[in-house]
Amino acid sequence: SIRYHIMPSSPSSLNSPLTFPISRRQIPNRLAKAALTEGLADPDICQPNERHFTLYSQWVGGCGMILSGNVMIDRRHREGTRNVVLDETSDLNAFRQWADVIHNNNSNSNTISNSDDDNNKPPLAILQISHPGRQSPISCTNPLNITPVAPTSALQTRLALPGILGAICAYLFIAPARALSTEELPAIVNQYATAARLAQQSGWDGIEIHAAHGYLLSQFLSPASNRRTDEYGGTRDNRRRLLRQVVMAVREATSPDFVVGVKINTKDRSTEGIEREDECLELIRNLSDMKQLDFIELSGGSFEEFVFVFDQPRGRDGIFSTFAERLRKEVFDNKEHNDSSDENANDNNNIEPKIILTGGFRTKAGMEGALRSGACDVIGLGRPMIANPNFARELLSRNDGKGGELQSTSTPLTVPIFKKMLEMALNSLWYQRQLHRLAVGKAPDPGLSYIYTLIVTFFSVYIWDVRFTGELLPLPTTNCGDSACSKKEE
């Protein structure tokens, strides 16, 4: 069980607004509801529905931006059977209603009371878009007779989950992936661009390109999973080529005021050393130099190892704070840190993407410290928003000089055997079950059974979803003559 509550503290710097450098869109404060996979869609339709709307209405007020869960760009390739999919066959009215729920959050009667009207502005609605690549379980692939895809075939780089049980589960429940041909990649770029274009058409303020956690773009970035010998593999520049093409295609497919961000791994495994971090710093510098991104969210880990859980620094908040401080010093060095709170700030002097840190923040002092140091510009909140949907609003609402100090006590889900694999998977699925409670208007339940989670939820997510018939809507015809599909990076 996990509890989050507020204790008295000093006035908060979390309330200050932020303007993104490219789109020039502003958020009213420095909190973001992080992406959380919901698992609420009908597996054959893949649309947002009333449960999504009820869930997101629970996060009333508070966060300056709200990110959706993992939305797939290809209904044939999903991370879970009940993912939402956004493609040419999608009903945009459902996506529009979803965005409307987010924009209307601050119209609730419990709206933040603040002398500054900034926090009464609606949050930005950001849709996270993704392709799972090889991280697609048999519950998704078997009903469609689909083989997962990856930069390199499973004969060279087979997915391996943590521990002995993980190796067994990966072998049994995740089919071996085939390598994508060079000729297939422009169509994938186009799918990202299409999803971004449709997101904007349906009222979303921006998108986040998911290039972390071992999904397809992350697989291309990693030397461990990318053993290609064409222009998309080998050197660092080649491995980041696909991501750069996706960023450019998304920008071309949307208007200048559309927010575009990327989520990347600081490292894929906890055992990776300074060389992998150096490569990530180089990637961020490269992405920043493109002058196309509003923000970069820092994360880590994948199905193979949950770095974002195992690497919590001792005695401090923020799993990736140490890396973020190094980033600010080495990549954005000799540049005065400008928080872009002024909408009229000079674009040329403030073009670097803003940094979002998500994971491990458990005290308000830690959040404010990360902002003051320049380690990040926005704090992402995930599981605290599940345990207490009103948490961000409560954190920001006090304007009496007391502010709020977040304290947490956590009793992690533990299983005596195969702990390395099971505890992490169970925690993820257990929190997803809490989301499902919120989606039907129920409160979180700290006593929710992990035995049920293991037996029922694990089975339906990774092995067999009884509601998934595989009778999909007609797949869109990919037009690779489109400029967003065929454009090559200069």
Side-chain angles (χ1 to χ4, degrees):
S1 63
I2 294 182
R3 303 192 304 273
Y4 300 89
H5 57 277
I6 302 295
M7 298 292 288
S9 181
S10 58
S12 175
S13 61
L14 297 173
N15 289 283
S16 60
L18 177 81
T19 301
F20 287 116
I22 306 299
S23 66
R24 308 305 297 160
R25 298 294 297 276
Q26 188 179 76
I27 55 175
N29 59 62
R30 302 305 183 89
L31 295 180
K33 196 283 305 180
L36 299 162
T37 297
E38 306 96 358
L40 293 170
D42 182 294
D44 287 327
I45 301 175
C46 315
Q47 291 283 138
N49 55 46
E50 289 296 331
R51 288 177 295 176
H52 289 89
F53 311 149
T54 300
L55 171 62
Y56 279 76
S57 71
Q58 300 293 310
W59 291 309
V60 287
C63 290
M65 60 189 292
I66 294 181
L67 283 81
S68 77
N70 219 356
V71 173
M72 300 292 107
I73 61 170
D74 187 335
R75 63 188 58 242
R76 298 166 299 179
H77 298 282
R78 289 180 249 171
E79 165 257 349
T81 58
R82 303 194 184 192
N83 286 140
V84 172
V85 176
L86 182 55
D87 61 20
E88 295 284 10
T89 70
S90 299
D91 177 8
L92 296 190
N93 288 327
F95 284 87
R96 187 172 293 107
Q97 188 172 352
W98 193 6
D100 286 344
V101 168
I102 294 173
H103 290 141
N104 290 335
N105 273 346
N106 283 60
S107 65
N108 187 278
S109 59
N110 291 326
T111 295
I112 295 170
S113 174
N114 193 298
S115 58
D116 190 335
D117 288 337
D118 280 330
N119 276 320
N120 290 318
K121 295 178 180 177
L124 295 185
I126 308 296
L127 196 77
Q128 186 187 76
I129 56 176
S130 179
H131 189 302
R134 65 181 183 172
Q135 292 186 167
S136 186
I138 60 173
S139 59
C140 297
T141 57
N142 278 5
L144 302 176
N145 194 28
I146 290 291
T147 300
V149 295
T152 310
S153 76
L155 295 176
Q156 293 178 274
T157 58
R158 176 101 192 228
L159 186 68
L161 301 181
I164 297 173
L165 180 62
I168 296 171
C169 288
Y171 182 81
L172 294 177
F173 306 142
I174 300 178
R178 66 171 180 84
L180 285 160
S181 69
T182 306
E183 292 72 26
E184 288 179 285
L185 297 181
I188 291 176
V189 173
N190 189 52
Q191 287 176 309
Y192 278 97
T194 297
R197 173 176 56 81
L198 295 175
Q200 184 169 28
Q201 288 179 11
S202 54
W204 289 76
D205 302 299
I207 56 94
E208 179 182 62
I209 300 163
H210 199 342
H213 297 175
Y215 296 117
L216 184 65
L217 293 176
S218 179
Q219 293 162 30
F220 270 86
L221 292 171
S222 173
S225 53
N226 185 348
R227 308 285 180 82
R228 298 174 72 94
T229 57
D230 63 1
E231 63 265 38
Y232 292 92
T235 67
R236 292 178 179 181
D237 282 341
N238 282 352
R239 284 187 276 112
R240 65 176 66 115
R241 186 183 304 276
L242 184 63
L243 175 57
R244 287 175 57 90
Q245 290 179 344
V246 168
V247 170
M248 292 302 298
V250 164
R251 269 296 176 206
E252 291 181 0
T254 56
S255 67
D257 63 348
F258 191 68
V259 178
V260 177
V262 169
K263 186 172 189 171
I264 62 171
N265 276 358
T266 59
K267 55 184 176 181
D268 303 313
R269 295 179 174 85
S270 60
T271 54
E272 291 176 332
I274 195 72
E275 183 179 352
R276 188 73 175 104
E277 287 193 1
D278 288 344
E279 182 172 344
C280 183
L281 291 174
E282 185 180 308
L283 169 63
I284 294 172
R285 184 181 293 109
N286 187 270
L287 292 172
S288 178
D289 288 344
M290 293 178 70
K291 296 179 171 52
Q292 302 294 329
L293 292 175
D294 285 299
F295 68 85
I296 295 175
E297 182 179 1
L298 302 180
S299 194
S302 68
F303 278 24
E304 292 188 302
E305 184 177 350
F306 301 92
V307 173
F308 43 88
V309 176
F310 285 110
D311 261 16
Q312 175 72 38
R314 292 183 179 275
R316 66 174 303 177
D317 276 11
I319 296 172
F320 307 103
S321 293
T322 302
F323 175 86
E325 289 169 355
R326 186 182 172 206
L327 167 66
R328 184 67 67 186
K329 179 180 178 181
E330 298 184 25
V331 174
F332 301 134
D333 57 346
N334 300 320
K335 300 175 183 178
E336 181 180 356
H337 177 58
N338 187 331
D339 66 8
S340 286
S341 58
D342 181 3
E343 275 189 297
N344 299 315
N346 188 302
D347 288 354
N348 293 328
N349 293 330
N350 190 34
I351 205 69
E352 297 90 6
K354 301 307 169 187
I355 300 300
I356 300 179
L357 281 185
T358 301
F361 283 101
R362 295 296 180 262
T363 68
K364 184 175 181 182
M367 298 178 200
E368 293 178 328
L371 293 172
R372 284 194 301 268
S373 71
C376 68
D377 304 285
V378 178
I379 303 294
L381 297 173
R383 290 178 177 179
M385 297 293 288
I386 302 175
N388 177 9
N390 291 321
F391 170 69
R393 181 175 61 81
E394 293 172 3
L395 195 65
L396 295 169
S397 62
R398 295 177 180 158
N399 59 0
D400 57 0
K402 295 182 178 180
E405 181 70 20
L406 167 64
Q407 295 185 348
S408 67
T409 56
S410 174
T411 304
L413 301 173
T414 58
V415 178
I417 58 173
F418 306 127
K419 176 181 172 73
K420 187 176 182 182
M421 166 65 182
L422 279 184
E423 184 178 348
M424 300 307 104
L426 281 176
N427 265 284
S428 178
L429 294 173
W430 188 83
Y431 275 98
Q432 190 175 107
R433 288 189 62 211
Q434 300 286 12
L435 285 177
H436 294 177
R437 290 181 60 84
L438 294 174
V440 294
K442 296 181 179 179
D445 178 9
L448 207 58
S449 168
Y450 70 81
I451 296 298
Y452 181 94
T453 300
L454 175 62
I455 295 174
V456 178
T457 310
F458 183 90
F459 185 87
S460 65
V461 169
Y462 294 108
I463 303 173
W464 182 44
D465 186 332
V466 295
R467 289 179 56 196
F468 188 22
T469 67
E471 297 176 359
L472 296 176
L473 294 169
L475 295 171
T477 301
T478 300
N479 176 16
C480 283
D482 191 296
S483 61
C485 179
S486 61
K487 176 177 173 61
K488 289 288 187 179
E489 182 185 356
E490 295 298 332

